[in-house]
Amino acid sequence: MLAVGLARGVVVAAPAATAGRAGARSAAADDPYTQAFLTQYGKIKAAANGYFSPEGLPYHSVETLMVEAPDHGHETTSEAVSFWMWLEAAYGRVTGDWAPFNAAWTVAEKTIIPQHADQPTSDSYNPGSPATYAPEWPLPDNYPSSLDTSVSVGSDPLATELAASYGTMDVYGMHWLMDLDNTYGYGNKPGTGGESGPGPGPSFINTYQRGAQESVWETIPQPTTDLFEYGGPNGYLDLFVGDQSYARQWKYTNAPDADARAVQAAYWAYRWASAQGKESEVEASVAKAARMGDYLRYAMFDKYFKRVGNCTDPNSCPAASGRDSQHYLLSWYYAWGGAAAGSGGGWAWRIGDGASHQGYQNPLSAWALSNVPALTPKSATARTDWAKSLTRQLEFLSWLQSSEGAFAGGCTNSWEGQYGTPPAGTPTFYGMAYDWQPVYHDPPSNNWFGFQAWGMERVAAYYYVTGNATAGAVLDKWVAWASGETTVGSDGSYRFPSTLNWTGQPDTWNPASPGRNAGLHVSVVDYSNDVGVGAAYVKTLTYYAAKSGDQAAGALAKALLDAMALNADDKGIAVPETRTDYRRFDDEVYVPSGWSGTMPNGDTVEPGATFIDIRTWYRDDPDWPKVQAYLDGGAAPTFTYHRFWAQAALALAFAIYAELLVEGTGGSDTEAPTVPGGLAVTATTSNSVSLSWSAATDNVAVTGYDVYRNGVLAGNATTRTFTDEGLGAATEYSYAVAARDAGGNTSALSAAVTATTKPGGGSGAVKVQYKNSDSSATDNQIRLGLQLLNTGGTPIDLSTVTLRYWFTSEGGANTFGTYCDYAALGSSNITHRVVAATAPKTGAERCLEVGFTAGAGTLDAGASTGEVQLRLNKTDWSNFNESDDYSRATNTAYADASKVAAYIGGALAWGVEP
């Protein structure tokens, strides 16, 4: 295995699979980031690594035991396919070989884009009557939802012009989900419109049909073409929709962000191929992307083509005609369906969606579809639709930007999916109600930082291409917020936000005078080192830095990319994940009373069935014993997943950084930065030294600093500060700093400074003793005793003392209850709280921080505080696994504890930090 150690200056060799094409690359391809792209690309495309199905489609993940949005690792999503297209476009830029990009589109047309046989009665679609209304409900047990013909629906203004443009009533868009190994056994194979049952080959599949609270753990999958071969007497239809009778039928759902990303990939392919004089090689595939963009406009319409704005009652909200039902945003989905071939009736339907999420918008694709001739769709109104969508998307993001800079959820034209009345005081965007968690609620849809990074990557790309001032303004604020919540350690550790919390709401949108959203706020609940999200974040920073000239953003992009690269393995770049959510394998899946059916493998679907009951094949997975042990009361299982989209995004992050911040210098930058000045020691503890220095300058950009301890590289920094940790107590060290630029040039070393660490490990003024008060390492509380001893010669004001006990939470709730059950000084004189570690490490992602009030008084020389009995729990009372906690020991009597730190006035006085 070859480690990708870019932070340490290692140059990564190209994989053997691509070495034969080296002559097609430019000289710039010799830079380490392009080489890292080729290495990552080679791992993804290596057959032995298992990223692709026999039909050539990317799996969601290499690993099979995987439950998140898809409920099995060897399913795939249109999202994964769109990342594949983009990956091949980047490969074409580096190598000049465009055959893989074209092949991706060819495979997509044969598989995930339904063919005519898969939508056989689309010719029966009546644009004047798109679909029959059925209200959505908040909970799965509110279903099936009865069709209601008394509610009027609008007319579809796109169908006729699309049919005229392409000579067919078939819809050209990707269905969002496929079962590539036919694990469920429906045999709903592309190009057949059938249900051939268990056997090899991919199968279309559907899921998520029952309201905002339906999580992946509560779904009942079903085939897209339901011929009543499986399920109950009516197949699976009567689990979702109430009707007088049921007909065999087909139905597909499109994820607009994926199709928009496919368009985005085609734009880059055309731009890069044109620069090589090879635009003719990709024209056919780019035309397919333009066609996809034509149909993608269905995502801009209300679900039932009702009027957009102030639509708060299903009966009084009018059916729309023309463009009155068009909100111009990229909504969560569009869908289409119809009668199965030979079912005895010809009918078809189409719907849009009134709910739009900030993380789905793609201004780059909207711009390309309205400004790049090769990507301009055929339909007469498509270009103007996308031009208006571009403006509306940028307004939408401006409306949702919080005071801090992150983007709140979105809006809906149909409150709770049934054109309800929002709560009084709900702000609106062009008459559509604000929703902080649009579409799904388990977990809340906008609490994941990944949607921030995904969305801003597209905005940053648009900003890079066009220099649009509105995009630049929202990025200025977002990048400052995200950067302030990001840490990259000298040891290669890194973290950025994971779960967000929202308070307040935006101002009602006034395009003539936008509000400041002073009452809309975001806070970070916890942090993550997810490599897929990190890759999107790096791309955002790279595009932004390349256009704005923000050196700090470029330096942070490099630091994150280098840190993630240190997690390379044989299959890609990945980090371990502890999956506490896998306790939900035993969650009940709601099945209506009296309903009974059968899955293709014989699993019974009936009231009381659980997620695993209707997927018993999971018990045959090689990784299942880890999950079963957890369900039996053991520790939560840990997996290292290789998701295709994340691995492709990492490859792209390398390639984009190379293109814009390495090759972008012209490939001939030989001028080194100036020497940093003003190096100074700002703080010392018993095991650390903190430094600061003044900025160096460069003819292009300074991208980071290298810190040397006693002449040996100690670490890298992207800012002008650095803390060197893990040092010996009472020891003198010498430090110097060099500046580095994107071209790999390094300055001479600065003037050196010396620093001596403080005494530690019990030789200071205090020491901490600890005892374990809980024999179980896997229950739902951490219980411990502490006492502080004054080993010095003078009294200590206890209000200046803080103690820290480090632990990990193993998932579950990110909020905690802390308690002092007894203290010799009086429990009311003890303070306690849980805080996140500034640089999380194995066994130490959080700490219990204990302090003393002024009422605790002073601690005389030689005296002890006496016993302080403490405990803590997660607010959901889920279990801990304390076995690897940094500060935990097994002694049940008080003993000196060097892994519990004591601070006096903020300076480390006892112990060794993790």
Side-chain angles (χ1 to χ4, degrees), residues 133 150-152 302 306-307 309-319 413-415 417-422:
Y133 172 76
S150 70
V151 175
S152 61
D302 175 74
K306 282 181 170 288
R307 183 192 65 194
N310 306 308
C311 194
T312 57
D313 176 80
N315 293 299
S316 62
C317 180
N413 194 54
S414 178
W415 189 257
Q418 48 188 265
Y419 300 104
T421 302

PDB file of all heavy atoms in Angstrom, residues 133 150-152 302 306-307 309-319 413-415 417-422:
ATOM      1  N   TYR A 133     -54.770  14.138  -6.719  1.00  0.00           N
ATOM      2  CA  TYR A 133     -54.253  14.610  -5.434  1.00  0.00           C
ATOM      3  C   TYR A 133     -54.407  13.564  -4.338  1.00  0.00           C
ATOM      4  O   TYR A 133     -55.448  12.908  -4.208  1.00  0.00           O
ATOM      5  CB  TYR A 133     -55.001  15.887  -5.025  1.00  0.00           C
ATOM      6  CG  TYR A 133     -54.701  16.371  -3.626  1.00  0.00           C
ATOM      7  CD1 TYR A 133     -53.506  17.023  -3.335  1.00  0.00           C
ATOM      8  CD2 TYR A 133     -55.614  16.171  -2.588  1.00  0.00           C
ATOM      9  CE1 TYR A 133     -53.229  17.477  -2.054  1.00  0.00           C
ATOM     10  CE2 TYR A 133     -55.343  16.620  -1.300  1.00  0.00           C
ATOM     11  CZ  TYR A 133     -54.152  17.275  -1.042  1.00  0.00           C
ATOM     12  OH  TYR A 133     -53.879  17.722   0.227  1.00  0.00           O
ATOM     13  N   SER A 150     -61.646  15.422  -5.459  1.00  0.00           N
ATOM     14  CA  SER A 150     -62.347  16.697  -5.293  1.00  0.00           C
ATOM     15  C   SER A 150     -61.389  17.883  -5.266  1.00  0.00           C
ATOM     16  O   SER A 150     -61.818  19.033  -5.425  1.00  0.00           O
ATOM     17  CB  SER A 150     -63.168  16.684  -3.997  1.00  0.00           C
ATOM     18  OG  SER A 150     -62.330  16.704  -2.856  1.00  0.00           O
ATOM     19  N   VAL A 151     -60.099  17.638  -5.053  1.00  0.00           N
ATOM     20  CA  VAL A 151     -59.111  18.712  -5.032  1.00  0.00           C
ATOM     21  C   VAL A 151     -58.596  18.937  -6.454  1.00  0.00           C
ATOM     22  O   VAL A 151     -58.098  18.013  -7.094  1.00  0.00           O
ATOM     23  CB  VAL A 151     -57.954  18.381  -4.079  1.00  0.00           C
ATOM     24  CG1 VAL A 151     -56.863  19.441  -4.161  1.00  0.00           C
ATOM     25  CG2 VAL A 151     -58.465  18.249  -2.646  1.00  0.00           C
ATOM     26  N   SER A 152     -58.710  20.151  -6.909  1.00  0.00           N
ATOM     27  CA  SER A 152     -58.318  20.457  -8.287  1.00  0.00           C
ATOM     28  C   SER A 152     -56.804  20.496  -8.429  1.00  0.00           C
ATOM     29  O   SER A 152     -56.078  20.868  -7.503  1.00  0.00           O
ATOM     30  CB  SER A 152     -58.902  21.801  -8.721  1.00  0.00           C
ATOM     31  OG  SER A 152     -58.400  22.841  -7.882  1.00  0.00           O
ATOM     32  N   ASP A 302     -44.736  23.201  -8.568  1.00  0.00           N
ATOM     33  CA  ASP A 302     -45.510  22.673  -7.456  1.00  0.00           C
ATOM     34  C   ASP A 302     -45.925  21.236  -7.757  1.00  0.00           C
ATOM     35  O   ASP A 302     -46.137  20.859  -8.919  1.00  0.00           O
ATOM     36  CB  ASP A 302     -46.748  23.542  -7.236  1.00  0.00           C
ATOM     37  CG  ASP A 302     -47.666  22.969  -6.177  1.00  0.00           C
ATOM     38  OD1 ASP A 302     -47.318  23.067  -4.994  1.00  0.00           O
ATOM     39  OD2 ASP A 302     -48.717  22.403  -6.552  1.00  0.00           O
ATOM     40  N   LYS A 306     -50.323  23.491  -8.686  1.00  0.00           N
ATOM     41  CA  LYS A 306     -51.156  24.543  -8.118  1.00  0.00           C
ATOM     42  C   LYS A 306     -50.374  25.850  -8.090  1.00  0.00           C
ATOM     43  O   LYS A 306     -49.147  25.875  -8.261  1.00  0.00           O
ATOM     44  CB  LYS A 306     -51.602  24.168  -6.696  1.00  0.00           C
ATOM     45  CG  LYS A 306     -52.758  23.157  -6.648  1.00  0.00           C
ATOM     46  CD  LYS A 306     -53.148  22.854  -5.211  1.00  0.00           C
ATOM     47  CE  LYS A 306     -54.432  22.055  -5.108  1.00  0.00           C
ATOM     48  NZ  LYS A 306     -55.645  22.834  -5.427  1.00  0.00           N
ATOM     49  N   ARG A 307     -51.077  26.917  -7.842  1.00  0.00           N
ATOM     50  CA  ARG A 307     -50.460  28.236  -7.820  1.00  0.00           C
ATOM     51  C   ARG A 307     -49.375  28.300  -6.743  1.00  0.00           C
ATOM     52  O   ARG A 307     -49.560  27.825  -5.633  1.00  0.00           O
ATOM     53  CB  ARG A 307     -51.511  29.305  -7.522  1.00  0.00           C
ATOM     54  CG  ARG A 307     -50.966  30.742  -7.541  1.00  0.00           C
ATOM     55  CD  ARG A 307     -51.972  31.712  -6.963  1.00  0.00           C
ATOM     56  NE  ARG A 307     -52.207  31.441  -5.536  1.00  0.00           N
ATOM     57  CZ  ARG A 307     -53.226  31.958  -4.852  1.00  0.00           C
ATOM     58  NH1 ARG A 307     -54.106  32.726  -5.449  1.00  0.00           N
ATOM     59  NH2 ARG A 307     -53.359  31.664  -3.552  1.00  0.00           N
ATOM     60  N   GLY A 309     -47.340  30.257  -4.006  1.00  0.00           N
ATOM     61  CA  GLY A 309     -47.472  31.424  -3.135  1.00  0.00           C
ATOM     62  C   GLY A 309     -48.800  31.483  -2.433  1.00  0.00           C
ATOM     63  O   GLY A 309     -49.855  31.447  -3.072  1.00  0.00           O
ATOM     64  N   ASN A 310     -48.754  31.540  -1.085  1.00  0.00           N
ATOM     65  CA  ASN A 310     -49.961  31.681  -0.258  1.00  0.00           C
ATOM     66  C   ASN A 310     -50.980  30.577  -0.550  1.00  0.00           C
ATOM     67  O   ASN A 310     -52.194  30.817  -0.569  1.00  0.00           O
ATOM     68  CB  ASN A 310     -50.587  33.063  -0.469  1.00  0.00           C
ATOM     69  CG  ASN A 310     -49.586  34.181  -0.235  1.00  0.00           C
ATOM     70  OD1 ASN A 310     -48.936  34.218   0.812  1.00  0.00           O
ATOM     71  ND2 ASN A 310     -49.420  35.055  -1.214  1.00  0.00           N
ATOM     72  N   CYS A 311     -50.483  29.383  -0.733  1.00  0.00           N
ATOM     73  CA  CYS A 311     -51.323  28.232  -1.059  1.00  0.00           C
ATOM     74  C   CYS A 311     -51.541  27.454   0.242  1.00  0.00           C
ATOM     75  O   CYS A 311     -50.774  26.558   0.581  1.00  0.00           O
ATOM     76  CB  CYS A 311     -50.611  27.380  -2.107  1.00  0.00           C
ATOM     77  SG  CYS A 311     -51.645  26.140  -2.904  1.00  0.00           S
ATOM     78  N   THR A 312     -52.566  27.803   1.004  1.00  0.00           N
ATOM     79  CA  THR A 312     -52.714  27.306   2.381  1.00  0.00           C
ATOM     80  C   THR A 312     -53.983  26.497   2.615  1.00  0.00           C
ATOM     81  O   THR A 312     -54.385  26.283   3.753  1.00  0.00           O
ATOM     82  CB  THR A 312     -52.674  28.486   3.364  1.00  0.00           C
ATOM     83  OG1 THR A 312     -53.704  29.423   3.025  1.00  0.00           O
ATOM     84  CG2 THR A 312     -51.321  29.187   3.321  1.00  0.00           C
ATOM     85  N   ASP A 313     -54.604  26.034   1.561  1.00  0.00           N
ATOM     86  CA  ASP A 313     -55.763  25.154   1.693  1.00  0.00           C
ATOM     87  C   ASP A 313     -55.906  24.387   0.392  1.00  0.00           C
ATOM     88  O   ASP A 313     -55.895  24.999  -0.696  1.00  0.00           O
ATOM     89  CB  ASP A 313     -57.032  25.967   1.964  1.00  0.00           C
ATOM     90  CG  ASP A 313     -58.269  25.091   2.013  1.00  0.00           C
ATOM     91  OD1 ASP A 313     -58.510  24.466   3.061  1.00  0.00           O
ATOM     92  OD2 ASP A 313     -58.974  25.004   0.976  1.00  0.00           O
ATOM     93  N   PRO A 314     -56.021  23.068   0.428  1.00  0.00           N
ATOM     94  CA  PRO A 314     -56.028  22.294  -0.819  1.00  0.00           C
ATOM     95  C   PRO A 314     -57.206  22.622  -1.719  1.00  0.00           C
ATOM     96  O   PRO A 314     -57.098  22.507  -2.947  1.00  0.00           O
ATOM     97  CB  PRO A 314     -56.076  20.840  -0.339  1.00  0.00           C
ATOM     98  CG  PRO A 314     -56.601  20.898   1.048  1.00  0.00           C
ATOM     99  CD  PRO A 314     -56.113  22.195   1.617  1.00  0.00           C
ATOM    100  N   ASN A 315     -58.330  23.027  -1.140  1.00  0.00           N
ATOM    101  CA  ASN A 315     -59.516  23.301  -1.958  1.00  0.00           C
ATOM    102  C   ASN A 315     -59.542  24.718  -2.501  1.00  0.00           C
ATOM    103  O   ASN A 315     -59.920  24.940  -3.652  1.00  0.00           O
ATOM    104  CB  ASN A 315     -60.779  23.018  -1.150  1.00  0.00           C
ATOM    105  CG  ASN A 315     -60.937  21.537  -0.835  1.00  0.00           C
ATOM    106  OD1 ASN A 315     -61.047  20.716  -1.731  1.00  0.00           O
ATOM    107  ND2 ASN A 315     -60.915  21.189   0.450  1.00  0.00           N
ATOM    108  N   SER A 316     -59.099  25.687  -1.681  1.00  0.00           N
ATOM    109  CA  SER A 316     -59.165  27.071  -2.142  1.00  0.00           C
ATOM    110  C   SER A 316     -57.933  27.483  -2.941  1.00  0.00           C
ATOM    111  O   SER A 316     -57.984  28.445  -3.707  1.00  0.00           O
ATOM    112  CB  SER A 316     -59.349  28.020  -0.958  1.00  0.00           C
ATOM    113  OG  SER A 316     -58.244  27.943  -0.070  1.00  0.00           O
ATOM    114  N   CYS A 317     -56.807  26.782  -2.749  1.00  0.00           N
ATOM    115  CA  CYS A 317     -55.612  27.100  -3.540  1.00  0.00           C
ATOM    116  C   CYS A 317     -55.882  26.715  -4.992  1.00  0.00           C
ATOM    117  O   CYS A 317     -56.158  25.553  -5.294  1.00  0.00           O
ATOM    118  CB  CYS A 317     -54.410  26.331  -3.009  1.00  0.00           C
ATOM    119  SG  CYS A 317     -52.890  26.679  -3.928  1.00  0.00           S
ATOM    120  N   PRO A 318     -55.809  27.675  -5.896  1.00  0.00           N
ATOM    121  CA  PRO A 318     -56.267  27.392  -7.262  1.00  0.00           C
ATOM    122  C   PRO A 318     -55.320  26.524  -8.068  1.00  0.00           C
ATOM    123  O   PRO A 318     -54.103  26.549  -7.887  1.00  0.00           O
ATOM    124  CB  PRO A 318     -56.367  28.793  -7.885  1.00  0.00           C
ATOM    125  CG  PRO A 318     -55.397  29.619  -7.123  1.00  0.00           C
ATOM    126  CD  PRO A 318     -55.410  29.082  -5.714  1.00  0.00           C
ATOM    127  N   ALA A 319     -55.901  25.736  -8.950  1.00  0.00           N
ATOM    128  CA  ALA A 319     -55.126  25.031  -9.966  1.00  0.00           C
ATOM    129  C   ALA A 319     -54.511  26.076 -10.883  1.00  0.00           C
ATOM    130  O   ALA A 319     -55.148  27.074 -11.223  1.00  0.00           O
ATOM    131  CB  ALA A 319     -56.035  24.093 -10.744  1.00  0.00           C
ATOM    132  N   ASN A 413     -44.313  25.132  -0.765  1.00  0.00           N
ATOM    133  CA  ASN A 413     -45.582  25.676  -1.240  1.00  0.00           C
ATOM    134  C   ASN A 413     -46.753  24.866  -0.721  1.00  0.00           C
ATOM    135  O   ASN A 413     -47.906  25.225  -0.950  1.00  0.00           O
ATOM    136  CB  ASN A 413     -45.608  25.685  -2.783  1.00  0.00           C
ATOM    137  CG  ASN A 413     -46.734  26.523  -3.344  1.00  0.00           C
ATOM    138  OD1 ASN A 413     -46.860  27.694  -2.996  1.00  0.00           O
ATOM    139  ND2 ASN A 413     -47.569  25.950  -4.205  1.00  0.00           N
ATOM    140  N   SER A 414     -46.459  23.751  -0.023  1.00  0.00           N
ATOM    141  CA  SER A 414     -47.513  22.859   0.470  1.00  0.00           C
ATOM    142  C   SER A 414     -47.162  22.456   1.900  1.00  0.00           C
ATOM    143  O   SER A 414     -46.470  21.459   2.114  1.00  0.00           O
ATOM    144  CB  SER A 414     -47.644  21.630  -0.433  1.00  0.00           C
ATOM    145  OG  SER A 414     -48.631  20.745   0.051  1.00  0.00           O
ATOM    146  N   TRP A 415     -47.621  23.247   2.865  1.00  0.00           N
ATOM    147  CA  TRP A 415     -47.269  22.993   4.252  1.00  0.00           C
ATOM    148  C   TRP A 415     -47.731  21.603   4.675  1.00  0.00           C
ATOM    149  O   TRP A 415     -48.868  21.223   4.473  1.00  0.00           O
ATOM    150  CB  TRP A 415     -47.894  24.061   5.144  1.00  0.00           C
ATOM    151  CG  TRP A 415     -47.401  23.998   6.562  1.00  0.00           C
ATOM    152  CD1 TRP A 415     -48.054  23.495   7.640  1.00  0.00           C
ATOM    153  CD2 TRP A 415     -46.130  24.460   7.041  1.00  0.00           C
ATOM    154  NE1 TRP A 415     -47.273  23.592   8.760  1.00  0.00           N
ATOM    155  CE2 TRP A 415     -46.084  24.175   8.426  1.00  0.00           C
ATOM    156  CE3 TRP A 415     -45.022  25.063   6.434  1.00  0.00           C
ATOM    157  CZ2 TRP A 415     -44.981  24.500   9.217  1.00  0.00           C
ATOM    158  CZ3 TRP A 415     -43.926  25.383   7.218  1.00  0.00           C
ATOM    159  CH2 TRP A 415     -43.909  25.102   8.581  1.00  0.00           C
ATOM    160  N   GLY A 417     -47.194  18.963   3.264  1.00  0.00           N
ATOM    161  CA  GLY A 417     -47.544  18.144   2.118  1.00  0.00           C
ATOM    162  C   GLY A 417     -49.016  18.079   1.808  1.00  0.00           C
ATOM    163  O   GLY A 417     -49.446  17.249   1.003  1.00  0.00           O
ATOM    164  N   GLN A 418     -49.808  18.965   2.428  1.00  0.00           N
ATOM    165  CA  GLN A 418     -51.252  18.935   2.182  1.00  0.00           C
ATOM    166  C   GLN A 418     -51.826  20.345   2.073  1.00  0.00           C
ATOM    167  O   GLN A 418     -52.981  20.577   2.387  1.00  0.00           O
ATOM    168  CB  GLN A 418     -51.965  18.138   3.280  1.00  0.00           C
ATOM    169  CG  GLN A 418     -51.575  18.500   4.699  1.00  0.00           C
ATOM    170  CD  GLN A 418     -52.171  17.550   5.713  1.00  0.00           C
ATOM    171  OE1 GLN A 418     -53.218  17.825   6.277  1.00  0.00           O
ATOM    172  NE2 GLN A 418     -51.515  16.439   5.950  1.00  0.00           N
ATOM    173  N   TYR A 419     -50.982  21.273   1.603  1.00  0.00           N
ATOM    174  CA  TYR A 419     -51.399  22.665   1.415  1.00  0.00           C
ATOM    175  C   TYR A 419     -52.056  23.201   2.684  1.00  0.00           C
ATOM    176  O   TYR A 419     -53.101  23.846   2.644  1.00  0.00           O
ATOM    177  CB  TYR A 419     -52.334  22.786   0.209  1.00  0.00           C
ATOM    178  CG  TYR A 419     -51.703  22.327  -1.086  1.00  0.00           C
ATOM    179  CD1 TYR A 419     -52.030  21.094  -1.656  1.00  0.00           C
ATOM    180  CD2 TYR A 419     -50.756  23.105  -1.735  1.00  0.00           C
ATOM    181  CE1 TYR A 419     -51.433  20.656  -2.831  1.00  0.00           C
ATOM    182  CE2 TYR A 419     -50.155  22.681  -2.914  1.00  0.00           C
ATOM    183  CZ  TYR A 419     -50.496  21.454  -3.455  1.00  0.00           C
ATOM    184  OH  TYR A 419     -49.899  21.031  -4.621  1.00  0.00           O
ATOM    185  N   GLY A 420     -51.409  22.929   3.838  1.00  0.00           N
ATOM    186  CA  GLY A 420     -51.941  23.386   5.108  1.00  0.00           C
ATOM    187  C   GLY A 420     -51.566  24.831   5.385  1.00  0.00           C
ATOM    188  O   GLY A 420     -50.879  25.500   4.601  1.00  0.00           O
ATOM    189  N   THR A 421     -52.032  25.317   6.530  1.00  0.00           N
ATOM    190  CA  THR A 421     -51.748  26.690   6.954  1.00  0.00           C
ATOM    191  C   THR A 421     -50.559  26.679   7.897  1.00  0.00           C
ATOM    192  O   THR A 421     -50.617  26.051   8.964  1.00  0.00           O
ATOM    193  CB  THR A 421     -52.957  27.312   7.662  1.00  0.00           C
ATOM    194  OG1 THR A 421     -54.076  27.285   6.766  1.00  0.00           O
ATOM    195  CG2 THR A 421     -52.660  28.745   8.080  1.00  0.00           C
ATOM    196  N   PRO A 422     -49.454  27.355   7.558  1.00  0.00           N
ATOM    197  CA  PRO A 422     -48.287  27.383   8.444  1.00  0.00           C
ATOM    198  C   PRO A 422     -48.609  28.117   9.743  1.00  0.00           C
ATOM    199  O   PRO A 422     -49.576  28.884   9.814  1.00  0.00           O
ATOM    200  CB  PRO A 422     -47.235  28.143   7.625  1.00  0.00           C
ATOM    201  CG  PRO A 422     -47.751  28.155   6.226  1.00  0.00           C
ATOM    202  CD  PRO A 422     -49.240  28.106   6.320  1.00  0.00           C
TER     203      PRO A 422
END
